[in-house]
Short mmCIF file of all heavy atoms in Angstrom, two decimals:
data_model
loop_
_atom_site.label_atom_id
_atom_site.label_comp_id
_atom_site.label_asym_id
_atom_site.label_seq_id
_atom_site.Cartn_x
_atom_site.Cartn_y
_atom_site.Cartn_z
N PRO A 92 122.87 12.90 148.14
CA PRO A 92 123.16 12.13 149.45
C PRO A 92 121.95 11.46 149.86
O PRO A 92 120.84 12.02 149.86
CB PRO A 92 123.59 13.22 150.36
CG PRO A 92 124.01 14.39 149.53
CD PRO A 92 123.23 14.31 148.25
N ALA A 93 122.06 10.18 150.19
CA ALA A 93 120.89 9.37 150.70
C ALA A 93 120.39 9.91 152.02
O ALA A 93 121.17 10.58 152.81
CB ALA A 93 121.30 7.95 150.92
N ASP A 94 119.14 9.78 152.22
CA ASP A 94 118.50 10.34 153.50
C ASP A 94 119.06 9.47 154.63
O ASP A 94 119.57 8.41 154.46
CB ASP A 94 116.94 10.48 153.49
CG ASP A 94 116.30 9.18 153.43
OD1 ASP A 94 116.77 8.20 154.13
OD2 ASP A 94 115.33 9.03 152.67
N ALA A 95 118.86 9.95 155.93
CA ALA A 95 119.57 9.30 157.08
C ALA A 95 119.06 7.90 157.21
O ALA A 95 119.87 6.98 157.53
CB ALA A 95 119.17 10.10 158.29
N LYS A 96 117.79 7.56 156.90
CA LYS A 96 117.36 6.23 157.15
C LYS A 96 118.02 5.30 156.13
O LYS A 96 118.40 4.09 156.54
CB LYS A 96 115.78 6.22 156.93
CG LYS A 96 115.02 5.49 157.99
CD LYS A 96 113.52 5.60 157.78
CE LYS A 96 112.91 4.23 157.59
NZ LYS A 96 111.53 4.41 157.18
N VAL A 97 118.04 5.65 154.91
CA VAL A 97 118.66 4.83 153.87
C VAL A 97 120.17 4.59 154.15
O VAL A 97 120.64 3.47 154.14
CB VAL A 97 118.40 5.42 152.44
CG1 VAL A 97 119.29 4.73 151.45
CG2 VAL A 97 116.97 5.36 152.05
N ALA A 98 120.78 5.68 154.52
CA ALA A 98 122.24 5.68 154.83
C ALA A 98 122.52 4.78 155.98
O ALA A 98 123.49 3.91 155.96
CB ALA A 98 122.84 7.03 155.09
N GLN A 99 121.70 4.74 156.91
CA GLN A 99 121.84 3.87 158.12
C GLN A 99 121.70 2.43 157.86
O GLN A 99 122.44 1.56 158.22
CB GLN A 99 120.85 4.31 159.21
CG GLN A 99 121.26 4.02 160.57
CD GLN A 99 120.96 2.52 160.95
OE1 GLN A 99 120.02 1.95 160.38
NE2 GLN A 99 121.85 1.97 161.76
N ARG A 100 120.78 2.18 156.91
CA ARG A 100 120.50 0.82 156.49
C ARG A 100 121.67 0.28 155.71
O ARG A 100 122.11 -0.96 155.87
CB ARG A 100 119.17 0.76 155.62
CG ARG A 100 118.41 -0.53 155.90
CD ARG A 100 117.01 -0.41 155.16
NE ARG A 100 116.62 -1.72 154.74
CZ ARG A 100 115.51 -1.92 153.94
NH1 ARG A 100 114.88 -0.94 153.47
NH2 ARG A 100 115.24 -3.16 153.60
N VAL A 101 122.23 1.10 154.85
CA VAL A 101 123.33 0.71 153.96
C VAL A 101 124.52 0.43 154.91
O VAL A 101 125.30 -0.48 154.79
CB VAL A 101 123.67 1.79 152.89
CG1 VAL A 101 125.01 1.51 152.19
CG2 VAL A 101 122.46 1.71 151.86
N SER A 102 124.74 1.41 155.80
CA SER A 102 125.90 1.27 156.72
C SER A 102 125.85 -0.05 157.59
O SER A 102 126.85 -0.70 157.83
CB SER A 102 125.93 2.43 157.72
OG SER A 102 126.82 3.48 157.12
N ALA A 103 124.65 -0.32 158.03
CA ALA A 103 124.48 -1.57 158.85
C ALA A 103 124.84 -2.73 158.05
O ALA A 103 125.50 -3.76 158.47
CB ALA A 103 123.01 -1.64 159.39
N PHE A 104 124.50 -2.71 156.80
CA PHE A 104 124.76 -3.79 155.87
C PHE A 104 126.32 -3.88 155.58
O PHE A 104 126.82 -5.00 155.62
CB PHE A 104 123.98 -3.57 154.44
CG PHE A 104 124.11 -4.77 153.62
CD1 PHE A 104 123.25 -5.84 153.83
CD2 PHE A 104 125.03 -4.84 152.58
CE1 PHE A 104 123.38 -6.97 152.89
CE2 PHE A 104 125.21 -5.96 151.79
CZ PHE A 104 124.29 -6.98 151.89
#
Side-chain angles (χ1 to χ4, degrees):
D94 68 41
K96 224 173 125 190
V97 170
Q99 205 281 326
R100 213 170 149 192
V101 169
S102 267
F104 189 82

